[in-house]
């Protein structure tokens, strides 16, 4: 019996060692060579853990990637939004879904399918500029109406706050395209400092109104949506607290790289205290 236990124990240890070696080899291969993408993100695009700083102990720190897209009505002043909360982007229409390999012949069943594709995330580019323009247009309309009653006054205040939020706090990282060929997407978006290519799941959606069928799609979180801050870099976050970040009295930057397997890692952390967030 003891011999069997020893064999089982040795086998278990060997399996753990083999799995760890496999994982480390994958990490090393992902990070070998020049990064496929390398973006400098801030607290606008990276969310700290909910309990960060509450207990006085930093421990491990994982940041969540915050990204957005434009709703289908591109004229809507509120159409920039966080992709984690719902509807698909305007550009993810029937033609794009077919390009991604979806069979839309049977509209009733199309929503059941899903597949992993490559998604382009654009930092502080044209998509964000359009979001700023929409927020400004909303404020301009509210100013034109004036504030003769409470409803108009509330609308004006809301538009002012929305523009301020878009300018100073909202994520500037937008999903702008998707495809099956990462190399082709990189040719279309060659700047590796402003456009990251990530792996994410797309699921079609079907809407039928007045017997008219419209196809759209939802993008799930990237295959790696949370990124661990290396232990050697965690000291840079000392003194940064959530209250200061939320109020804009503190900020941070993190250099994030994506490798051969389109998996991200953090290469540098730079806190900025006493600054306006952004």
């Amino acid at each position: 019996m003891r011999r069997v236990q020893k064999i089982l124990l040795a086998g278990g240890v060997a399996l753990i060692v083999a799995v760890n070696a496999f994982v480390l080899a994958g990490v090393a291969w992902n990070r070998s060579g020049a990064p496929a993408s390398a973006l400098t993100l801030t607290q606008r695009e990276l969310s700290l853990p909910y309990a960060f700083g509450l207990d006085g102990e930093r421990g491990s720190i994982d940041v969540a990637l915050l990204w957005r897209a434009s709703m289908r009505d591109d004229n809507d002043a509120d159409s920039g939004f966080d992709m984690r909360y719902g509807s698909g982007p305007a550009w993810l229409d029937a033609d794009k879904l077919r390009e991604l390999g979806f069979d839309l012949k049977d509209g009733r069943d199309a929503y059941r399918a899903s597949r992993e594709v490559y998604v382009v995330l654009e930092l502080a580019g044209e998509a964000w500029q359009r979001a700023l323009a929409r927020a400004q247009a909303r404020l301009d309309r509210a100013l034109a109406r004036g504030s003769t009653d409470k409803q108009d006054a509330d609308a004006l205040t809301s538009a002012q706050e929305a523009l301020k939020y878009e300018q100073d706090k909202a994520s500037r990282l937008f999903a702008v395209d998707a495809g099956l060929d990462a190399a082709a997407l990189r040719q279309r978006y060659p700047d590796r400092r402003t456009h990251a290519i990530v792996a994410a799941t797309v699921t079609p959606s079907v809407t039928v109104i007045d017997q008219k069928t419209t196809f759209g799609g939802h993008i799930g979180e990237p295959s790696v949506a949370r990124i661990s801050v290396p232990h050697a870099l965690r000291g840079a976050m000392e003194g940064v607290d959530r209250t200061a970040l939320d109020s804009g009295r503190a900020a941070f930057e993190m250099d994030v790289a994506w490798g051969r397997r389109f998996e991200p890692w953090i290469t540098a952390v730079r806190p900025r205290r006493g600054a306006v967030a952004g």
Side-chain angles (χ1 to χ4, degrees):
M1 179 64 71
R2 289 182 178 178
R3 182 176 180 181
V4 172
Q5 290 176 334
K6 289 180 179 179
I7 292 174
L8 290 176
L9 177 60
V13 172
L15 178 60
I16 293 172
V17 171
V19 170
N20 287 339
F22 178 79
V23 170
L24 292 174
V27 171
W29 187 81
N30 178 62
R31 300 184 184 185
S32 62
S37 310
L39 275 56
T40 297
L41 306 177
T42 72
Q43 70 285 344
R44 298 172 66 145
E45 294 82 36
L46 297 169
S47 175
L48 288 168
Y50 177 76
F52 177 81
L54 294 181
D55 57 2
E57 296 291 336
R58 293 297 186 225
S60 63
I61 303 173
D62 289 345
V63 291
L65 197 63
L66 301 178
W67 55 285
R68 308 162 63 198
S70 296
M71 286 184 180
R72 305 198 177 285
D73 182 5
D74 201 46
N75 294 318
D76 185 350
D78 295 317
S79 60
F81 73 109
D82 188 326
M83 280 300 300
R84 295 175 303 168
Y85 296 113
S87 302
W91 51 264
L92 191 53
D93 55 13
D95 290 339
K96 174 58 72 172
L97 289 170
R98 293 189 182 95
E99 181 184 317
L100 295 176
F102 291 101
D103 183 0
L104 303 181
K105 292 179 181 178
D106 189 345
R108 292 171 300 176
D109 293 333
Y111 71 93
R112 298 178 183 174
S114 63
R115 63 169 57 213
E116 190 172 75
V117 302
Y118 297 108
V119 175
V120 179
L121 300 180
E122 176 189 79
L123 176 64
E126 293 181 3
W128 183 51
Q129 292 300 322
R130 287 194 297 270
L132 285 168
R134 286 191 295 266
Q136 182 63 60
R138 177 186 174 188
L139 176 57
D140 292 343
R141 291 194 297 269
L143 289 170
R145 286 194 302 268
S147 54
T148 56
D149 56 33
K150 185 179 186 304
Q151 183 175 356
D152 286 341
D154 289 345
L156 177 58
T157 299
S158 178
Q160 291 170 331
E161 292 175 349
L163 177 58
K164 183 66 174 174
Y165 181 79
E166 190 68 64
Q167 291 172 331
D168 296 338
K169 292 187 177 182
S171 174
R172 302 161 299 164
L173 193 62
F174 279 73
V176 296
D177 204 351
L180 299 177
D181 188 334
L185 286 173
R186 180 52 72 196
Q187 287 185 338
R188 198 178 308 165
Y189 304 94
D191 194 337
R192 299 169 188 262
R193 306 295 302 186
T194 59
H195 292 84
I197 297 177
V198 304
T201 300
V202 167
T203 304
S205 62
V206 181
T207 303
V208 180
I209 301 178
D210 296 332
Q211 298 184 335
K212 180 181 179 181
T213 301
T214 302
F215 293 99
H218 300 267
I219 303 176
E221 287 189 336
S223 57
V224 180
R226 303 190 70 86
I227 315 168
S228 179
V229 180
H231 187 274
L233 300 178
R234 290 173 194 165
M237 298 300 291
E238 288 297 326
V240 175
D241 63 72
R242 187 176 298 281
T243 301
L245 290 174
D246 291 343
S247 68
R249 290 183 289 106
F252 65 82
E253 293 180 342
M254 292 188 183
D255 293 341
V256 181
W258 281 261
R260 293 174 180 267
R261 300 200 304 186
F262 305 96
E263 296 175 357
W265 75 97
I266 295 170
T267 61
V269 178
R270 292 179 296 277
R272 296 189 294 138
R273 301 178 180 85
V276 176

